[in-house]
Amino acid sequence: MGRKKIFVMLWASHVPILNRIKDDLNVELDIATDGGLDSQSDVEMIVDRMRSADATIMYRHNTEFVDRVDEAMAKYRSECKIISLANDPSMWGLTTVDHADAVQCFMYMQASGDENFRRLFDFIDKRILGSEGEPLPPLDIPYEAVVDIDDSEITYLTTKEYLEAKHIDTSGRFVGIIASRPSYMADGLCVERALAKELRSLGVTPILIYCMFSKRSDLGTRSHIECIKDFFYLDGEMLVDAMVKFSTAFIRNSKYDNEPDPNDNILAEMNIPVYAPIIMNRM
């Protein structure tokens, strides 16, 4: 008997993650996005793929095409296992599995990252399709961390922990690299890690971090200013000799900040080169 098949129609930004993890799974993924789909034959193609799969998970877009897929699938709902998710729970109407299972799938997706998507499909395989075993819960991924440039799935909560784990001498030159958490979730910071490896080959030690766009006390996220102080300083002393900023956030207070940082002049205080490269791979 072949592997069970799950039809997956999520956002286009999820496709790189799905392609990275699909060979690690005990199920086969049939991956699609609704980008560029419009005709009636496209609707019929999606419906056929949903009906032929052992289960379907889709993240619903509020588009006419998806509405037409919903309408076409209505008469087949009873014969299919469907997890239909969206930011708005009122749009989960095509879901046919137990609501608690659909919510748990949503939690895996919200946590994001390669490992949580592996666990998502393992959950669907075991809890919804009946394979043996107990699925693991979503993995809690920190909002800010230092990333291992050789293995993006390894992160460290402090720079000191990273330096000790990698046996790095602090007497050399360091460059801090700031990336965004959404980019980390999307592709493990492939561009940023490539730069970090190149710097390492030149005898410079990179400290690659990711963080959120702004400070949110309710979520426990830190501002870019706080992350610079926490990750690019060691025992109160500045560690880095330059910075590279891939994140689009401001390293100062702006109109978007609900919780302004009192130390708004950190770049002038550091007085080091800051580079902000323009990259196109995620656009």
Side-chain angles (χ1 to χ4, degrees):
M1 183 177 177
R3 293 190 301 169
K4 295 172 184 174
K5 183 168 68 175
I6 300 175
F7 177 64
V8 186
M9 192 165 74
L10 305 177
W11 290 354
S13 60
H14 291 124
V15 172
I17 297 177
L18 299 176
N19 285 331
R20 285 198 301 271
I21 69 165
K22 63 184 181 182
D23 293 334
D24 303 335
L25 307 175
N26 292 323
V27 295
E28 176 187 348
L29 300 187
D30 178 13
I31 303 168
T33 67
D34 60 6
L37 302 180
D38 183 62
S39 67
Q40 183 57 32
S41 62
D42 290 331
V43 172
E44 293 169 359
M45 177 268 294
I46 293 296
V47 168
D48 287 344
R49 290 166 74 176
M50 292 175 70
R51 293 184 65 198
S52 66
D54 295 288
T56 288
I57 180 166
M58 58 192 300
Y59 207 93
R60 196 185 188 288
H61 296 72
N62 191 18
T63 64
E64 180 186 356
F65 178 78
V66 177
D67 288 340
R68 288 157 58 199
V69 171
D70 280 6
E71 292 172 7
M73 276 299 298
K75 59 185 176 183
Y76 304 118
R77 287 182 74 250
S78 61
E79 66 184 55
C80 299
K81 291 181 170 66
I82 302 172
I83 305 117
S84 180
L85 307 174
N87 288 338
D88 182 353
S90 68
M91 296 167 61
W92 292 26
L94 195 61
T95 296
T96 61
V97 303
D98 185 272
H99 181 72
D101 288 340
V103 169
Q104 186 68 355
C105 290
F106 185 77
M107 297 302 292
Y108 285 106
M109 288 191 61
Q110 285 291 95
S112 195
D114 289 16
E115 179 58 25
N116 278 318
F117 272 83
R118 291 188 191 98
R119 295 185 184 199
L120 164 67
F121 293 110
D122 185 61
F123 176 85
I124 295 172
D125 183 31
K126 292 174 178 174
R127 185 62 54 84
I128 296 173
L129 297 180
S131 294
E132 293 184 358
E134 186 65 27
L136 295 171
L139 182 67
D140 185 21
I141 297 175
Y143 286 115
E144 306 101 359
V146 181
V147 179
D148 190 313
I149 66 173
D150 295 308
D151 185 347
S152 63
E153 294 195 46
I154 300 175
T155 60
Y156 303 85
L157 294 180
T158 68
T159 299
K160 186 174 183 178
E161 178 187 359
Y162 172 69
L163 297 174
E164 291 176 351
K166 307 297 282 187
H167 306 291
I168 294 173
D169 182 3
T170 59
S171 63
R173 295 175 298 163
F174 286 78
V175 172
I177 305 174
I178 308 174
S180 72
R181 189 175 186 269
S183 295
Y184 173 73
M185 294 301 190
D187 62 18
L189 303 180
C190 60
V191 172
E192 294 87 344
R193 288 191 297 116
L195 171 65
K197 291 176 182 178
E198 183 67 21
L199 289 170
R200 183 175 62 184
S201 73
L202 298 173
V204 178
T205 300
I207 303 294
L208 172 58
I209 72 167
Y210 68 77
C211 55
M212 297 292 283
F213 184 80
S214 61
K215 181 174 182 174
R216 286 274 303 274
S217 295
D218 57 330
L219 295 177
T221 66
R222 288 172 275 185
S223 69
H224 274 50
I225 294 172
E226 288 175 315
C227 286
I228 288 171
K229 293 289 288 186
D230 290 342
F231 291 110
F232 296 158
Y233 283 67
L234 191 65
D235 298 326
E237 298 293 327
M238 188 169 65
L239 178 65
V240 301
D241 302 285
M243 283 196 297
V244 182
K245 186 176 85 71
F246 284 92
S247 167
T248 59
F250 295 101
I251 307 182
R252 64 172 301 163
N253 295 325
S254 75
K255 64 182 181 180
Y256 304 106
D257 291 314
N258 295 321
E259 303 175 48
D261 196 294
N263 187 14
D264 193 31
N265 205 32
I266 190 168
L267 292 181
E269 293 175 4
M270 295 176 78
N271 193 28
I272 59 174
V274 179
Y275 303 91
I278 298 172
I279 59 173
M280 298 295 291
N281 72 309
R282 300 188 183 100
M283 298 184 180

